[in-house]
Tab-separated table of all heavy atoms in Angstrom:
chain	number	residue	atom	x	y	z
A	261	CYS	N	4.767	-7.308	-7.605
A	261	CYS	CA	4.906	-7.582	-6.162
A	261	CYS	C	5.819	-8.781	-5.920
A	261	CYS	O	6.724	-8.734	-5.055
A	261	CYS	CB	3.524	-7.824	-5.571
A	261	CYS	SG	3.541	-8.175	-3.790
A	262	ALA	N	5.634	-9.852	-6.645
A	262	ALA	CA	6.486	-11.038	-6.498
A	262	ALA	C	7.924	-10.697	-6.845
A	262	ALA	O	8.854	-11.168	-6.158
A	262	ALA	CB	5.959	-12.179	-7.360
A	263	TYR	N	8.130	-9.939	-7.883
A	263	TYR	CA	9.467	-9.526	-8.287
A	263	TYR	C	10.147	-8.765	-7.147
A	263	TYR	O	11.308	-9.042	-6.797
A	263	TYR	CB	9.372	-8.643	-9.539
A	263	TYR	CG	10.712	-8.174	-10.057
A	263	TYR	CD1	11.474	-8.955	-10.900
A	263	TYR	CD2	11.216	-6.925	-9.704
A	263	TYR	CE1	12.687	-8.517	-11.396
A	263	TYR	CE2	12.439	-6.483	-10.149
A	263	TYR	CZ	13.182	-7.268	-10.998
A	263	TYR	OH	14.391	-6.859	-11.464
A	264	ALA	N	9.426	-7.855	-6.516
A	264	ALA	CA	9.951	-7.106	-5.380
A	264	ALA	C	10.304	-8.045	-4.210
A	264	ALA	O	11.333	-7.918	-3.575
A	264	ALA	CB	8.975	-6.030	-4.945
A	265	LYS	N	9.396	-8.989	-3.928
A	265	LYS	CA	9.591	-9.912	-2.809
A	265	LYS	C	10.847	-10.768	-3.004
A	265	LYS	O	11.601	-11.013	-2.058
A	265	LYS	CB	8.400	-10.856	-2.695
A	265	LYS	CG	7.180	-10.240	-2.083
A	265	LYS	CD	6.033	-11.253	-2.041
A	265	LYS	CE	4.742	-10.611	-1.614
A	265	LYS	NZ	3.610	-11.556	-1.603
A	266	TYR	N	11.082	-11.226	-4.210
A	266	TYR	CA	12.147	-12.207	-4.455
A	266	TYR	C	13.458	-11.602	-4.904
A	266	TYR	O	14.481	-12.299	-4.947
A	266	TYR	CB	11.681	-13.315	-5.395
A	266	TYR	CG	10.589	-14.129	-4.756
A	266	TYR	CD1	9.274	-13.998	-5.138
A	266	TYR	CD2	10.885	-15.004	-3.713
A	266	TYR	CE1	8.270	-14.755	-4.503
A	266	TYR	CE2	9.896	-15.750	-3.092
A	266	TYR	CZ	8.581	-15.624	-3.497
A	266	TYR	OH	7.625	-16.350	-2.890
A	267	THR	N	13.453	-10.326	-5.257
A	267	THR	CA	14.695	-9.674	-5.694
A	267	THR	C	15.162	-8.561	-4.782
A	267	THR	O	16.294	-8.069	-4.918
A	267	THR	CB	14.543	-9.080	-7.109
A	267	THR	OG1	13.609	-8.001	-7.065
A	267	THR	CG2	14.144	-10.142	-8.143
A	268	ASN	N	14.294	-8.114	-3.890
A	268	ASN	CA	14.556	-6.935	-3.040
A	268	ASN	C	14.817	-5.701	-3.891
A	268	ASN	O	15.556	-4.802	-3.486
A	268	ASN	CB	15.739	-7.196	-2.105
A	268	ASN	CG	15.430	-8.252	-1.079
A	268	ASN	OD1	14.327	-8.232	-0.501
A	268	ASN	ND2	16.312	-9.176	-0.884
A	269	LYS	N	14.183	-5.637	-5.048
A	269	LYS	CA	14.270	-4.460	-5.936
A	269	LYS	C	12.868	-3.896	-6.110
A	269	LYS	O	11.851	-4.515	-5.728
A	269	LYS	CB	14.824	-4.867	-7.291
A	269	LYS	CG	16.244	-5.368	-7.264
A	269	LYS	CD	16.714	-5.748	-8.667
A	269	LYS	CE	18.131	-6.294	-8.645
A	269	LYS	NZ	18.566	-6.676	-9.990
A	270	LEU	N	12.806	-2.749	-6.737
A	270	LEU	CA	11.521	-2.124	-7.013
A	270	LEU	C	10.777	-2.872	-8.086
A	270	LEU	O	11.302	-3.129	-9.174
A	270	LEU	CB	11.767	-0.641	-7.477
A	270	LEU	CG	10.548	0.173	-7.824
A	270	LEU	CD1	9.642	0.387	-6.602
A	270	LEU	CD2	10.990	1.534	-8.398
A	271	GLY	N	9.565	-3.286	-7.794
A	271	GLY	CA	8.686	-3.900	-8.794
A	271	GLY	C	7.894	-2.801	-9.475
A	271	GLY	O	7.457	-1.849	-8.821
A	272	VAL	N	7.743	-2.921	-10.796
A	272	VAL	CA	7.039	-1.899	-11.561
A	272	VAL	C	5.996	-2.536	-12.447
A	272	VAL	O	6.270	-3.530	-13.138
A	272	VAL	CB	8.006	-1.037	-12.426
A	272	VAL	CG1	7.255	0.035	-13.198
A	272	VAL	CG2	9.084	-0.412	-11.559
A	273	CYS	N	4.784	-1.959	-12.429
A	273	CYS	CA	3.727	-2.421	-13.341
A	273	CYS	C	3.094	-1.219	-14.011
A	273	CYS	O	3.113	-0.108	-13.498
A	273	CYS	CB	2.672	-3.264	-12.596
A	273	CYS	SG	1.892	-2.449	-11.212
A	274	VAL	N	2.539	-1.469	-15.190
A	274	VAL	CA	1.926	-0.412	-15.982
A	274	VAL	C	0.623	-0.885	-16.553
A	274	VAL	O	0.491	-2.067	-16.925
A	274	VAL	CB	2.907	0.089	-17.078
A	274	VAL	CG1	3.224	-1.026	-18.071
A	274	VAL	CG2	2.382	1.310	-17.791
A	275	ALA	N	-0.363	0.020	-16.581
A	275	ALA	CA	-1.671	-0.287	-17.127
A	275	ALA	C	-2.265	0.956	-17.754
A	275	ALA	O	-1.915	2.072	-17.387
A	275	ALA	CB	-2.604	-0.833	-16.063
A	276	THR	N	-3.199	0.743	-18.623
A	276	THR	CA	-3.839	1.859	-19.280
A	276	THR	C	-4.836	2.557	-18.381
A	276	THR	O	-4.950	2.238	-17.169
A	276	THR	CB	-4.508	1.393	-20.616
A	276	THR	OG1	-4.866	2.528	-21.394
A	276	THR	CG2	-5.697	0.479	-20.351
A	277	SER	N	-5.557	3.495	-18.905
A	277	SER	CA	-6.514	4.279	-18.134
A	277	SER	C	-7.739	3.502	-17.764
A	277	SER	O	-7.949	2.383	-18.227
A	277	SER	CB	-6.910	5.510	-18.958
A	277	SER	OG	-7.434	5.116	-20.195
A	278	GLY	N	-8.558	4.083	-16.926
A	278	GLY	CA	-9.874	3.546	-16.588
A	278	GLY	C	-9.824	2.146	-15.983
A	278	GLY	O	-9.020	1.872	-15.088
A	279	PRO	N	-10.640	1.240	-16.517
A	279	PRO	CA	-10.694	-0.129	-15.994
A	279	PRO	C	-9.323	-0.859	-16.007
A	279	PRO	O	-9.076	-1.647	-15.118
A	279	PRO	CB	-11.679	-0.842	-16.927
A	279	PRO	CG	-12.511	0.239	-17.465
A	279	PRO	CD	-11.620	1.452	-17.598
A	280	GLY	N	-8.482	-0.564	-16.961
A	280	GLY	CA	-7.153	-1.188	-17.011
A	280	GLY	C	-6.387	-0.878	-15.719
A	280	GLY	O	-5.781	-1.773	-15.122
A	281	GLY	N	-6.386	0.356	-15.311
A	281	GLY	CA	-5.738	0.728	-14.062
A	281	GLY	C	-6.387	0.133	-12.833
A	281	GLY	O	-5.725	-0.319	-11.902
A	282	ILE	N	-7.674	0.108	-12.861
A	282	ILE	CA	-8.441	-0.466	-11.700
A	282	ILE	C	-8.061	-1.921	-11.493
A	282	ILE	O	-7.943	-2.389	-10.366
A	282	ILE	CB	-9.966	-0.313	-11.935
A	282	ILE	CG1	-10.347	1.190	-11.839
A	282	ILE	CG2	-10.759	-1.136	-10.921
A	282	ILE	CD1	-11.776	1.490	-12.285
A	283	HIS	N	-7.803	-2.652	-12.571
A	283	HIS	CA	-7.441	-4.061	-12.469
A	283	HIS	C	-6.117	-4.297	-11.709
A	283	HIS	O	-5.835	-5.394	-11.279
A	283	HIS	CB	-7.356	-4.714	-13.847
A	283	HIS	CG	-8.664	-4.958	-14.509
A	283	HIS	ND1	-9.711	-5.611	-13.911
A	283	HIS	CD2	-9.124	-4.574	-15.744
A	283	HIS	CE1	-10.735	-5.645	-14.739
A	283	HIS	NE2	-10.404	-5.026	-15.855
A	284	LEU	N	-5.314	-3.274	-11.542
A	284	LEU	CA	-4.057	-3.422	-10.807
A	284	LEU	C	-4.284	-3.547	-9.301
A	284	LEU	O	-3.421	-4.027	-8.581
A	284	LEU	CB	-3.132	-2.220	-11.025
A	284	LEU	CG	-2.589	-1.979	-12.417
A	284	LEU	CD1	-1.820	-0.671	-12.436
A	284	LEU	CD2	-1.686	-3.120	-12.861
A	285	LEU	N	-5.444	-3.132	-8.795
A	285	LEU	CA	-5.609	-2.968	-7.362
A	285	LEU	C	-5.383	-4.242	-6.524
A	285	LEU	O	-4.753	-4.153	-5.476
A	285	LEU	CB	-7.001	-2.402	-7.067
A	285	LEU	CG	-7.159	-0.928	-7.447
A	285	LEU	CD1	-8.618	-0.498	-7.254
A	285	LEU	CD2	-6.240	-0.047	-6.652
A	286	ASN	N	-5.834	-5.393	-6.956
A	286	ASN	CA	-5.633	-6.605	-6.122
A	286	ASN	C	-4.160	-6.876	-5.881
A	286	ASN	O	-3.732	-7.121	-4.751
A	286	ASN	CB	-6.263	-7.832	-6.771
A	286	ASN	CG	-7.763	-7.924	-6.498
A	286	ASN	OD1	-8.252	-7.376	-5.504
A	286	ASN	ND2	-8.477	-8.591	-7.368
A	287	GLY	N	-3.346	-6.821	-6.929
A	287	GLY	CA	-1.919	-7.053	-6.766
A	287	GLY	C	-1.241	-5.955	-5.959
A	287	GLY	O	-0.291	-6.202	-5.220
A	288	LEU	N	-1.734	-4.717	-6.110
A	288	LEU	CA	-1.137	-3.618	-5.350
A	288	LEU	C	-1.474	-3.717	-3.839
A	288	LEU	O	-0.661	-3.395	-3.005
A	288	LEU	CB	-1.578	-2.271	-5.927
A	288	LEU	CG	-1.114	-2.004	-7.340
A	288	LEU	CD1	-1.636	-0.626	-7.819
A	288	LEU	CD2	0.413	-2.069	-7.442
A	289	TYR	N	-2.665	-4.197	-3.548
A	289	TYR	CA	-2.987	-4.406	-2.120
A	289	TYR	C	-2.122	-5.525	-1.549
A	289	TYR	O	-1.734	-5.492	-0.403
A	289	TYR	CB	-4.481	-4.692	-1.922
A	289	TYR	CG	-5.266	-3.425	-1.708
A	289	TYR	CD1	-6.018	-2.888	-2.740
A	289	TYR	CD2	-5.181	-2.712	-0.517
A	289	TYR	CE1	-6.714	-1.696	-2.585
A	289	TYR	CE2	-5.867	-1.532	-0.336
A	289	TYR	CZ	-6.635	-1.030	-1.363
A	289	TYR	OH	-7.314	0.154	-1.162
């Protein structure tokens, strides 16, 4: 998200299945 904000480019993140993916939610919101 910060990368997208400061570069005006697409920010990309990757996480594993289950709880790993769930942990992305705060930053995605």
Side-chain angles (χ1 to χ4, degrees):
C261 180
Y263 180 86
K265 285 178 188 179
Y266 293 106
T267 65
N268 294 315
K269 296 180 181 180
L270 180 64
V272 180
C273 56
V274 63
T276 192
S277 57
I282 291 169
H283 287 307
L284 295 174
L285 288 174
N286 278 336
L288 296 179
Y289 272 103

